[in-house]
Amino acid sequence: MTAPPHDLDAEAAVLGAVLWSADTLRHVEPVGLRGADFYRPAHAAIYDAMQAMHANGVPIEAKTVADRLRRTGELDQVGGVPTILNLVTGGSSPSAAPHYARIVVEFAVLRRVMALAGEMTQEAGSVPTDVTAFLADFRDRLERIETPSAHAPPEYSTWSDLAQMAESSEPDWVIEPFLDRGDRMLIV
């Protein structure tokens, strides 16, 4: 039997990026990433700890995450301090985190669809008396599976893509000296 869809490298990339910069959480939130989206339970526990720390204004770095997991009794379950340090050294850059977060979320959606399909296969095997109601229930349950957020920030692959975006959009704020010279600044 093959494993359900997952990408442990993408999971580690997101966690490593957050360990490099806690501000990364702000960039992966629009994607809709949750702890439950991680395939590896250790990764889910680490991400949940990071989110709780962030919500409480606690700095997120390897030591503080390890301390939190130790206090909640989860440090040994996630593989201890070496696991967290491996995430730091093997993580991605914070700017790539939304890309990897989308991968994690998309695979989680596929796993949820597979689980639902399995449940529905079992129910179909028991030969429901009302097939129309069975299909309507299946459609309803399928539509309730959360998909990646439509509000996720767009991905830009090159600097020219970013420059085009800057040229085509109205600024949210203006620094008068730049405006006087006709310059534009792109803040990333």
Side-chain angles (χ1 to χ4, degrees):
M1 185 168 110
T2 60
H6 66 282
D7 186 336
L8 296 178
D9 291 334
E11 292 183 12
V14 171
L15 297 173
V18 174
L19 285 166
W20 274 104
S21 172
D23 192 48
T24 302
L25 280 174
R26 185 173 57 87
H27 300 290
V28 298
E29 283 174 353
V31 176
L33 182 64
R34 301 172 306 175
D37 293 333
F38 288 86
Y39 179 73
R40 180 171 281 169
H43 289 168
I46 293 167
Y47 187 76
D48 287 341
M50 291 174 171
Q51 280 194 309
M53 293 169 65
H54 183 70
N56 292 318
V58 177
I60 298 173
E61 54 190 32
K63 182 181 180 349
T64 58
V65 171
D67 288 345
R68 171 154 180 116
L69 292 169
R70 185 177 293 112
R71 282 194 311 275
T72 61
E74 297 173 287
L75 185 60
D76 289 337
Q77 295 168 2
V78 303
V81 173
T83 296
I84 295 169
L85 293 176
N86 284 338
L87 291 170
V88 172
T89 59
S92 176
S93 70
S95 64
H99 167 76
Y100 292 112
R102 272 191 271 301
I103 292 170
V104 173
V105 170
E106 287 171 358
F107 279 131
V109 168
L110 292 175
R111 290 192 305 273
R112 289 182 188 110
V113 168
M114 288 175 68
L116 177 60
E119 291 171 20
M120 297 308 290
T121 299
Q122 292 244 320
E123 291 176 28
S126 67
V127 187
T129 56
D130 186 347
V131 175
T132 304
F134 171 78
L135 289 173
D137 179 52
F138 179 68
R139 272 189 228 104
D140 184 50
R141 290 166 65 184
L142 187 60
E143 287 177 6
R144 284 196 308 257
I145 292 177
E146 292 181 35
T147 57
S149 174
H151 304 293
E155 290 186 36
Y156 300 98
S157 56
T158 65
W159 282 105
S160 64
D161 291 340
L162 289 169
Q164 285 178 343
M165 185 223 20
E167 289 297 321
S168 66
S169 63
E170 291 299 315
D172 292 336
W173 50 268
V174 174
I175 300 174
E176 291 299 326
F178 287 112
L179 189 62
D180 292 342
R181 295 191 343 225
D183 293 339
R184 295 191 101 176
M185 178 185 293
L186 177 63
I187 307 290
V188 180

